[in-house]
Amino acid sequence: MANRSLRRSDRTPRRGLARRLLRARDGSAAVEFAMVALPFCLMIFSILELGLIFVLDSVLDNATSDTGRLVRTGQASAASMSAEQFRTSLCSRMSVFSGDCAARVSVDVREIPQFAVVPPDPMADGTFDSDSLVYTNGDPGDLILVRVWYRHPLITPFLDQGLSRLNDGTARLSATTVFRNEPE
């Protein structure tokens, strides 16, 4: 009998320690915050980056429309504007995004015979083919298609899976405008 009582007394402190540890709630808030903090921060940064992309897309669309007006009104033909000058003019209209715009933007200005024409897509096969891009101001009365692509690097992981059609993990924002050049 004496042997049984010793065994019970040996187990009592262990059970008491286990019960105290299971009842202790001192660090539970810190552990719960640690589990939630990383996904929460990732979500907040993703929302902020997505907002930046929407603003950038709006600025790019306005800059493309405004710069395309130079072609439509004949000002580009009168100044013998080149693709590089068109790009420079477009980047000057990109406000806060104009800093490295020239290195990130690609321009395609071409005459099209009718509205139903589908020009070649330079973003085929996961790469961007800038060799298929052309630049022409056209003549009065011509239909002109202006397409602009802006390469924006993505910082937040997982956004590149939903926003990028290219293998480099960047978002390619595009803006397009079509118009008939004004008569002389």
Side-chain angles (χ1 to χ4, degrees):
M1 285 277 191
N3 199 7
R4 276 187 169 172
S5 65
L6 286 176
R7 286 185 187 163
R8 284 185 187 165
S9 66
D10 288 341
R11 281 193 249 161
T12 306
R14 287 184 191 165
R15 282 187 183 171
L17 178 63
R19 285 183 185 154
R20 281 184 295 188
L21 287 176
L22 290 175
R23 278 189 260 137
R25 300 280 182 198
D26 295 341
S28 64
V31 171
E32 289 171 1
F33 180 76
M35 291 170 54
V36 173
L38 182 64
F40 178 74
C41 289
L42 186 63
M43 183 180 66
I44 293 296
F45 290 134
S46 296
I47 290 170
L48 290 174
E49 186 171 26
L50 201 56
L52 175 71
I53 289 171
F54 282 137
V55 169
L56 177 59
D57 189 50
S58 179
V59 169
L60 179 66
D61 193 41
N62 288 333
T64 301
S65 179
D66 289 349
T67 310
R69 191 169 192 285
L70 296 175
V71 176
R72 185 176 67 231
T73 59
Q75 295 174 35
S77 291
S80 299
M81 187 176 274
S82 66
E84 187 59 40
Q85 291 169 326
F86 186 89
R87 181 183 297 119
T88 303
S89 181
L90 179 109
C91 288
S92 70
R93 291 171 169 80
M94 290 287 291
S95 66
V96 297
F97 301 104
S98 64
D100 54 348
C101 172
R104 293 183 178 190
V105 74
S106 301
V107 175
D108 182 48
V109 180
R110 63 178 66 214
E111 179 184 344
I112 55 174
Q114 59 187 356
F115 284 110
V117 171
V118 178
D121 184 13
M123 294 194 335
D125 301 325
T127 60
F128 189 84
D129 180 22
S130 59
D131 295 336
S132 67
L133 305 180
V134 297
Y135 181 85
T136 181
N137 290 319
D139 295 322
D142 287 345
L143 282 175
I144 302 293
L145 170 67
V146 177
R147 299 185 297 172
V148 176
W149 293 271
Y150 187 91
R151 181 181 47 83
H152 179 70
L154 297 170
I155 299 168
T156 309
F158 308 118
L159 278 184
D160 62 344
Q161 295 172 1
L163 293 178
S164 181
R165 288 180 35 202
L166 303 178
N167 297 333
D168 62 357
T170 60
R172 288 282 176 153
L173 305 175
S174 64
T176 304
T177 184
V178 180
F179 50 82
R180 184 175 299 277
N181 277 350
E182 294 178 357
E184 291 181 302

